[in-house]
């Protein structure tokens, strides 16, 4: 009965590979997000997706692309992985914009 | 551009003490402010959400206050316990739409048994 779930929890991959992280929420929320937590534990918004509108943080490389097959899912695809992509990625959701956000457990991505 | 600062960066106190964590933000035009805790290797757990029209919000031993005009919020933890040890993060919405949250760097709290 996990509210926001991400898979996998850990992901180790080589440079240059393409990988995906899945996120699902069973809260019936309209808005979903992806955040990146870097090695210094600083959390930064990457994307938000609300009612089929995608808002992209301008600092995110275009190798990163979110895909939402339906309102309950927002997957993160990453192409041509680089060492600097190593981080913990968090999915989150909220009922609507500017409402309480709920986070998944995170996916620790390690690029070697 | 909204910036969020949390003071102190780290805090270690004996069990049983009452303590205050501070959060400040540069743009006072916020819809709400949210406090989270993060345990090592875990996700974020929402603790309290204060709407911009509210002055404070309480949940158990936690009390969060908001002074929007001065750009400040505090999280008060009463009668601290070792289980309260975690990193506490405050966050405000980035903008007026679905732009996500801007986070502070957190306060790493250790409660000594």
């Amino acid at each position: 009965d996990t509210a926001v779930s991400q898979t996998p929890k850990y992901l180790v991959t080589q440079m240059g590979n393409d990988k995906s992280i899945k996120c699902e929420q069973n809260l019936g929320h309209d808005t979903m997000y992806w955040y990146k937590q870097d090695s210094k534990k600083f959390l930064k918004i990457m994307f938000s997706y609300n009612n089929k509108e995608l808002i992209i943080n301008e600092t995110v490389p275009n190798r990163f692309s979110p895909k939402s097959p339906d309102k309950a899912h927002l997957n993160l695809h990453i192409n041509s992985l680089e060492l600097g992509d190593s981080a913990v990625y968090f999915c989150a959701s909220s009922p609507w914009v500017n409402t309480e956000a709920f986070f998944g457990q995170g996916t620790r991505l390690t690029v070697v | 551009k909204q910036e969020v600062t949390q003071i102190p960066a780290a805090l270690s106190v004996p069990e049983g003490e009452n303590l205050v964590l501070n959060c400040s933000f540069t743009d006072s035009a916020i819809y709400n402010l949210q406090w989270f805790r993060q345990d090592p290797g875990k996700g974020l757990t929402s603790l309290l959400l204060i709407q911009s029209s509210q002055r404070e919000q309480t949940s158990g031993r936690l009390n969060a206050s908001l002074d929007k005009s001065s750009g400040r919020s505090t999280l008060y933890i009463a009668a601290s316990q070792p289980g309260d040890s975690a990193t506490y993060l405050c966050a405000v919405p980035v903008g007026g739409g679905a732009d996500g949250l801007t986070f502070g760097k957190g306060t790493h709290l250790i409660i000594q048994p």
Side-chain angles (χ1 to χ4, degrees), chain A residues 15 33 50 87:
Chain A
M15 279 195 306
Y33 313 85
N50 172 259

Side-chain angles (χ1 to χ4, degrees), chain B residues 50-71:
Chain B
I50 313 179
Q51 300 293 350
S52 60
S53 58
Q54 295 177 314
R55 281 286 195 170
E56 62 178 58
Q57 192 73 258
T58 298
S59 175
R61 293 181 296 107
L62 304 179
N63 177 276
S65 68
L66 176 64
D67 184 344
K68 208 174 105 166
S69 60
S70 67

Side-chain angles (χ1 to χ4, degrees), chain B residues 20-113:
Chain B
V20 175
L21 308 181
N22 296 292
C23 172
S24 62
F25 44 94
T26 53
D27 184 349
S28 62
I30 60 169
Y31 284 90
N32 54 53
L33 183 144
Q34 196 166 354
W35 282 94
F36 296 87
R37 71 174 277 169
Q38 184 175 23
D39 294 279
K42 300 285 180 66
L44 279 71
T45 301
S46 178
L47 297 173
L48 290 163
L49 174 78
I50 313 179
Q51 300 293 350
S52 60
S53 58
Q54 295 177 314
R55 281 286 195 170
E56 62 178 58
Q57 192 73 258
T58 298
S59 175
R61 293 181 296 107
L62 304 179
N63 177 276
S65 68
L66 176 64
D67 184 344
K68 208 174 105 166
S69 60
S70 67
R72 293 181 183 177
S73 176
T74 60
L75 180 66
Y76 175 83
I77 303 176
S80 58
Q81 302 171 357
D84 295 330
S85 298
T87 296
Y88 290 79
L89 298 155
C90 75
V92 295
V94 173
D99 296 352
L101 296 170
T102 297
F103 281 85
K105 294 188 177 181
T107 293
H108 181 55
L109 176 64
I110 297 174
I111 307 298
Q112 306 154 12

Side-chain angles (χ1 to χ4, degrees), chain A residues 52-71:
Chain A
K52 300 186 179 180
E53 179 189 7
L54 177 65
I55 300 174
I56 302 172
N57 185 313
E58 61 188 13
T59 66
V60 175
N62 57 16
R63 297 182 294 103
F64 290 78
S65 59
K67 288 185 170 51
S68 180
D70 55 58
K71 202 173 81 165

Side-chain angles (χ1 to χ4, degrees), chain A residues 3 9 12 30 56 60:
Chain A
K9 188 173 181 180
V12 181
D30 283 340
I56 302 172
V60 175

Side-chain angles (χ1 to χ4, degrees), chain A residues 2 4-11 21-23 34-37 43 87-92 103-109, chain B residues 38 41-44:
Chain A
T2 304
V4 182
S5 60
Q6 300 177 225
T7 54
K9 188 173 181 180
Y10 301 97
L11 182 56
I21 305 172
K22 294 185 177 181
C23 177
W34 278 104
Y35 289 84
K36 178 181 180 180
Q37 188 171 44
L43 265 163
V88 181
Y89 293 85
F90 286 98
C91 177
F103 281 71
Q105 292 298 295
T107 296
R108 180 174 294 277
L109 171 66
Chain B
Q38 184 175 23
K42 300 285 180 66
L44 279 71

Side-chain angles (χ1 to χ4, degrees), chain A residues 40-86:
Chain A
K40 296 182 179 178
K41 307 296 185 186
F42 188 49
L43 265 163
K44 196 168 183 181
I45 182 71
M46 299 178 69
F47 304 101
S48 59
Y49 197 85
N50 172 259
N51 196 25
K52 300 186 179 180
E53 179 189 7
L54 177 65
I55 300 174
I56 302 172
N57 185 313
E58 61 188 13
T59 66
V60 175
N62 57 16
R63 297 182 294 103
F64 290 78
S65 59
K67 288 185 170 51
S68 180
D70 55 58
K71 202 173 81 165
H73 297 83
L74 185 65
N75 303 324
L76 183 63
H77 298 270
I78 316 169
N79 295 326
S80 303
L81 277 155
E82 300 177 357
L83 293 176
D85 297 333
S86 296

